[in-house]
Amino acid sequence: MSNSIEGVLGVSMEKIREMVDVNTIIGDPISAPNGTTIIPVSKVSFGFASGGSDLPAQAAEKFAGGAGAGVTVKPQAFIVIKNDGDVELLELGGKTSPMEGIIDSIPGLIGKIKDIVGKKKDDDPESEEESE
């Protein structure tokens, strides 16, 4: 019986190993035309069960058994690497409330506003004349 159970377990574990590898958790990088690289990050969960029993037989050893497994892959976040070297982690559904998401986005929003205001000052010909 032990050889039969070992065979069932061995085949099942090998199939799970084929399905779940490091590339499933940290995905292959995706390059955008503007030079940005996006790397998906996922959560992998799996379960496994097996069982078997010897069946009484008169002439030969009989075995009955089975195994089952389930795998779930859920996207969790994306690592975004911009062409200027800036790295950002974009989480999916990780916030417990909308207010938490708003509070977390304030620093990035302030930086974008500063960039826009700075560009407008650089592009404004009147501000160049005043500075001369």
Side-chain angles (χ1 to χ4, degrees), residues 40-129:
V41 179
S42 299
K43 175 182 176 181
V44 177
S45 304
F46 68 92
F48 176 78
S50 69
S53 175
D54 281 331
L55 298 175
Q58 295 174 351
E61 183 179 327
K62 300 279 183 177
F63 171 78
V71 177
T72 302
V73 179
K74 182 179 178 188
Q76 293 293 300
F78 294 96
I79 300 171
V80 179
I81 305 168
K82 298 179 182 172
N83 58 0
D84 62 358
D86 189 26
V87 178
E88 189 175 355
L89 178 68
L90 302 176
E91 294 181 68
L92 300 176
K95 309 299 177 210
T96 57
S97 71
M99 186 58 79
E100 185 179 345
I102 292 169
I103 291 170
D104 286 347
S105 66
I106 288 174
L109 184 61
I110 291 171
K112 289 180 182 179
I113 291 171
K114 285 181 181 178
D115 289 345
I116 291 170
V117 170
K119 286 180 182 177
K120 283 187 178 180
K121 284 184 180 178
D122 292 343
D123 294 341
D124 188 9
E126 292 179 11
S127 66
E128 289 177 13
E129 291 173 6

